[in-house]
Structures are given as C-alpha cells and as structure tokens.
Amino acid sequence: MSALHDHTHCIADALTRADALCAERGARLTALRRRVLELVWSSHRPRGAYAILEDLSQQDGKAAAPLTVYRALEFLVEQGLVHRIESLNAYVGCAAPGDVHSGQFLVCEACGDAAEIDDPGVGAAIDAAAAERGFRVQRPTVEVRGLCKSCQENPR
Amino acid sequence: MSALHDHTHCIADALTRADALCAERGARLTALRRRVLELVWSSHRPRGAYAILEDLSQQDGKAAAPLTVYRALEFLVEQGLVHRIESLNAYVGCAAPGDVHSGQFLVCEACGDAAEIDDPGVGAAIDAAAAERGFRVQRPTVEVRGLCKSCQENPR
DNA sequence: ACATGGGTGTTACTTTATAACACTCCGCCG
DNA sequence: CGGCGGAGTGTTATAAAGTAACACCCATGT
C-alpha cells in the first residue's frame, strides 16, 4: 500500500496464483469469476459487493445483477482466494491463498486498509480458548479495528 | 444455557446492572432503551434489530420504526451493555458489562448460541500481534464459528 | 444426439441500515 | 415565570446488502 507498491503487478500475481490453485484443484475459475477476483484486487482495500458490481457494469458495459457478483464472490471465498470482512460487509483479496488462512485482519479506521495477518499466536490462543470450553472451531474470524502505523504517524 | 437456567432472573439481573452502571456514569437509560435491552436479553441468543423491532411493535402495541431500535441499540452498545455480532448482524446482551469487554464470541452454527468469552490469552495474542506491526488497537472483534459442546454431543 | 449438471441471466423481493427533519420534554439561565 | 437549548423520540422516505425462484446455455460424457 505504499506509493511504491507495484499494484498492477500484484494483481497479475494474484490472478496467476488463482489460476494455478484452481487448476490444481479442478475448480473452475471462469472468465466471470476471474474478472470479479481482479476487481476485488483492484484496490488494496476491502470492497463492497455493490462497488464491484458497479465496476462490472461500467467497465464491461453490461448491467450485471447483484447475484452475479455474489455468486462469484461465494466461489472465491470458498476457494480461499478472497476473504469477507464481516464488520465491513466487504471483500478483500487473500494475501496467501493456498496456505492455511485463518482470516485475521487489522482494519484501519482512518485509511480503510485491511492488513491480513496470520499470526500463529492469535490462532493458537483461539484454539486453546475454544478447546478449554469444548468448542469445536470451524471458522475463526478476527477483525481488529484501530489505526495502522502510517495513519498514526501522519494523522490529519 | 442449560434447561435449568433461570432466564427470567438473568434478565432482571442484567437490567439491574444496567441501571446501576448508567446511574454511575450519568448515562440516561430511558424507558425505551431499557425495554430494548430487555428484548435483547429475551432469549440468550443473538437477535436481529428487526426481531427486536417486531417484539416492540407486537408486545407493546405501537408500531415502532427501525430507527427507534437502532438508536437504542447504538446507545446500549456504546455503554457496553450489548455487543453486536458482526458476522450475524445481530445483537446480544453483554455478560459482564462494566468490565473490560473485548467482545470475543464462540458462535455455534447448530444451535445459534453465542457464548461470550473474555479470554486473556486471546486478548494478549491480539495485542502482541498488533504491536509487532505498529498497529494501534481500538476495538478487537473475535467471532469464532463452530460447534458448541452440547451440539457436538447431541448432533442431529 | 441426448441427458446431465454447473454456470449464468433475469426478475422480483427480503433484510439490514441510514438520512432528513419535526416535535417533545426537561433542566437551566436569565 | 418564560423561553432557550439539547437530548431523546417520532415519522417518512430511502439506501445498502443479500436472497429466492426459475429459465437458459453450454460443455461434457455416454
């Protein structure tokens, strides 16, 4: 997310990884799904389904229906290519698809950036807390609201 | 949550604690807000704003508007009397208002119960992970989906 | 060719949440 | 006392997010 960040490259990279992963799994990353994945990545920020829908409609000419986007997002989330940020009703590209992804985010209130972390300590603490209570974890969600480093340093 | 659980008492208890806390803080727990708090507690499960709205309309005779409920909920959340479960778009009474409440929940996919935990290990792990990245935590959210103990033991 | 099933399109609708603005009630100050 | 101000509430309308139901298309395998 720095100004130096080569975002074009990073989108291309995400698409390449997605191609590889889906091929490996026999999952069908169709043109539409691939396009939606690209739009999710188009900024490094979490994006709402309707924002993506708008892009699809405007950039691709045809007016898509919400379901079109939701279905593609559902697939992408299932494949672990995209995460949903519950507290924002928004979606963001997964930084490390393929790896175990527990979905931990540091969400900056100021700049809107959502940094994905995969902190083993947090994961372990959750597992321990759940185990202690006999709870069987299926999908942990961690979304920490606060201020990212650069927004603390450059407040407005 | 057991069948033996004296729920009526537990609602009354929550209201008493709320009265005390608000008095102490000079916050105005008006009749409406108190009633909404009571309705949030009416089951031990997370409840949607519109479910509460319906109760309000049906049980109290007059048709309330969504904003009425949302405003009351906003107040209750601010006061730490109620938590919002982001992944469910629902609200649940806080088990320990007044204490530091980090908002950690074990949400059972089968029975819908959301057990509030306040695990120091999880809190500490999040603080550590954030600190490591220079992120300043304001509001951590932990919502773990899975199966609670009793639903594992009595599957259907 | 034909059946099959996954993916997509289309229309309508539900659920969740907010905006804008008026009114009321109550304490406070002059 | 009288009016001012601010928090709380009411009312209407609207936005944002998500889903249901059903039809069609097209690649694939037999």
Side-chain angles (χ1 to χ4, degrees):
Chain A
M1 292 80 16
S2 76
L4 303 173
H5 172 75
D6 182 349
H7 195 55
T8 307
H9 178 272
C10 125
I11 295 177
D13 216 50
L15 291 174
T16 304
R17 270 176 297 156
D19 287 332
L21 267 175
C22 287
E24 191 180 315
R25 293 173 183 165
R28 296 176 53 187
L29 186 61
T30 64
L32 176 62
R33 290 167 173 174
R34 201 166 185 280
R35 180 78 179 111
V36 169
L37 177 58
E38 188 180 3
L39 290 172
V40 168
W41 273 100
S42 67
S43 79
H44 244 141
R45 286 186 172 54
R47 307 202 70 206
Y50 278 72
I52 291 165
L53 177 59
E54 238 172 77
D55 289 351
L56 253 191
S57 300
Q58 290 183 5
Q59 297 182 19
D60 299 2
K62 49 183 165 188
L67 256 178
T68 302
V69 170
Y70 279 107
R71 284 195 285 224
L73 287 171
E74 186 185 359
F75 170 86
L76 296 170
V77 168
E78 268 168 14
Q79 296 299 321
L81 298 168
V82 160
H83 289 290
R84 175 181 161 81
I85 312 240
E86 301 290 348
S87 56
L88 296 175
N89 293 337
Y91 300 81
V92 72
C94 175
D99 297 10
V100 178
H101 52 291
S102 55
Q104 303 168 1
F105 292 92
L106 303 179
V107 181
C108 180
E109 301 269 15
C111 68
D113 187 62
E116 179 170 3
I117 64 177
D118 203 346
D119 191 278
V122 171
I126 288 176
D127 287 345
E132 198 176 310
R133 290 158 180 88
F135 188 92
R136 178 173 172 184
V137 175
Q138 288 174 349
R139 192 167 55 83
T141 299
V142 177
E143 298 173 8
V144 185
R145 297 304 202 84
L147 285 179
C148 73
K149 191 170 184 176
S150 78
C151 286
Q152 286 174 60
E153 287 165 357
N154 311 313
R156 38 185 105 170
Chain B
M1 239 28 47
S2 74
L4 304 173
H5 173 75
D6 183 350
H7 195 56
T8 307
H9 177 273
C10 124
I11 296 177
D13 216 50
L15 291 175
T16 305
R17 269 176 298 155
D19 287 332
L21 267 174
C22 287
E24 191 182 315
R25 293 173 184 165
R28 298 177 51 188
L29 185 61
T30 63
L32 176 62
R33 290 168 173 173
R34 202 166 185 282
R35 180 78 179 110
V36 169
L37 178 58
E38 188 179 3
L39 290 172
V40 168
W41 273 101
S42 67
S43 79
H44 244 140
R45 286 187 172 52
R47 309 202 70 205
Y50 278 72
I52 291 164
L53 177 59
E54 237 173 77
D55 289 352
L56 206 51
S57 299
Q58 289 182 4
Q59 296 181 20
D60 299 4
K62 48 184 166 187
L67 256 179
T68 302
V69 170
Y70 279 107
R71 283 193 284 225
L73 287 171
E74 186 186 358
F75 170 86
L76 296 170
V77 168
E78 268 168 15
Q79 296 298 321
L81 298 169
V82 160
H83 288 291
R84 175 179 161 82
I85 311 241
E86 300 290 350
S87 57
L88 296 175
N89 293 337
Y91 300 81
V92 71
C94 176
D99 298 9
V100 177
H101 53 292
S102 54
Q104 303 168 359
F105 292 92
L106 303 179
V107 181
C108 179
E109 301 269 14
C111 69
D113 186 62
E116 179 169 2
I117 63 178
D118 203 345
D119 191 277
V122 172
I126 288 176
D127 287 345
E132 199 177 308
R133 290 159 180 88
F135 188 91
R136 177 173 173 183
V137 175
Q138 288 174 347
R139 190 166 56 83
T141 299
V142 177
E143 297 174 10
V144 185
R145 296 305 200 85
L147 287 180
C148 73
K149 191 170 185 177
S150 78
C151 285
Q152 286 174 61
E153 288 164 356
N154 312 313
R156 38 184 105 170

